[in-house]
Amino acid sequence: MSDRPRKQPGPDHPITVTPTGERVVVTVAGKVVADTQNALSLREATYPPVQYVPLADVDQSLLERTGTQTYCPYKGEAGYYSITVDDTTAVDAIWEYTNPYDAVAQIKDHVAFYPDRVESITVG
């Protein structure tokens, strides 16, 4: 996808990735979908911090890869998962950069959750 713009974080659009340092738990329909002590906090410009959870710490039996894809000029191409718990499906609730750009390479093998598509994301 070489025709897409590729940008580097900088003073006008800073991005940092640091260990969260606290337990992160994500629930959907009352079920724990993710539970980790190894999350990363991605802070980008003026956006709220996003918790990136190791995919290994997510109950992958609840996930279904969708055809949705988006692009970020700072991070790369994102793919999506839906989460199904019993009769509840959270569509495209998770995104993942399988080959993130170098500036955010730490988020490889991690996923993030849309707060408005899951029941809760608890930090601490």
Side-chain angles (χ1 to χ4, degrees), residues 60-75:
Q60 295 177 50
S61 70
L62 304 174
L63 307 186
E64 182 177 342
R65 175 73 76 173
T66 72
T68 303
Q69 292 187 319
T70 58
Y71 179 75
C72 171
Y74 295 96
K75 295 185 286 295

Side-chain angles (χ1 to χ4, degrees), residues 7-36:
K7 298 181 178 180
Q8 289 292 320
D12 62 328
H13 194 99
I15 298 177
T16 60
V17 180
T18 58
T20 300
E22 297 183 87
R23 182 179 183 199
V24 175
V25 178
V26 181
T27 61
V28 172
K31 181 169 181 62
V32 172
V33 175
D35 188 345
T36 189

Side-chain angles (χ1 to χ4, degrees), residues 2 5 12 14 19 39 41 45 67 87 100:
S2 59
D12 62 328
S41 291
D87 294 332

Side-chain angles (χ1 to χ4, degrees), residues 5-9 13-17 42-45 47-48 50 52 70-78 80 95-108 112:
R6 190 168 178 167
K7 298 181 178 180
Q8 289 292 320
H13 194 99
I15 298 177
T16 60
V17 180
L42 186 143
R43 289 174 173 79
E44 179 176 1
Y47 300 111
V50 174
Y52 278 81
T70 58
Y71 179 75
C72 171
Y74 295 96
K75 295 185 286 295
E77 186 82 32
Y80 288 75
W95 73 91
E96 172 186 38
Y97 292 95
T98 55
N99 294 299
Y101 291 157
D102 291 345
V104 294
Q106 304 99 305
I107 65 171
K108 183 172 178 54

